Amino acid sequence: MITGEGSADRQTLMGKLPYGILQRAKAHQVPVRLIAGRVLDRQVLLDAGFSRVDCINPPDFPLEEAMKPATAMLHISQTLSE
């Protein structure tokens, strides 16, 4: 299963939707991959149970450009093909 949010960090584990998805998926032994426009605390997220945690944007990519729908779709597609 794949879930995502704009910025993933330790606060993701405080009741945000991706964490709720993770909890339900874990109950059924379904791996969950988390993607986000920005990732902090990757190891904390992996330790919580996400099977993979990926940032869709290259390092130092301009936020203004990253927020464009076409750019986001391209980056998501590229990330998921890895």
Side-chain angles (χ1 to χ4, degrees):
M1 180 172 295
I2 301 167
T3 187
E5 64 179 325
S7 181
D9 56 27
R10 64 184 60 242
Q11 289 186 358
T12 298
L13 305 177
M14 297 179 183
K16 290 187 177 181
L17 183 61
Y19 185 66
I21 290 170
L22 175 64
Q23 294 306 304
R24 288 192 137 196
K26 282 170 78 173
H28 299 283
Q29 300 174 341
V30 174
V32 179
R33 181 176 180 179
L34 175 62
I35 62 171
R38 181 180 78 146
V39 174
L40 302 172
D41 309 318
R42 181 183 312 274
Q43 193 58 53
V44 171
L45 296 167
L46 291 168
D47 291 346
F50 288 102
S51 60
R52 190 165 167 179
V53 177
D54 296 302
C55 181
I56 66 167
N57 294 309
D60 301 319
F61 196 78
L63 178 60
E64 189 172 303
E65 183 65 25
M67 297 288 289
K68 293 180 180 176
T71 301
M73 285 189 283
L74 176 63
H75 287 176
I76 290 168
S77 176
Q78 290 171 338
T79 300
L80 294 179
S81 69
E82 296 173 355

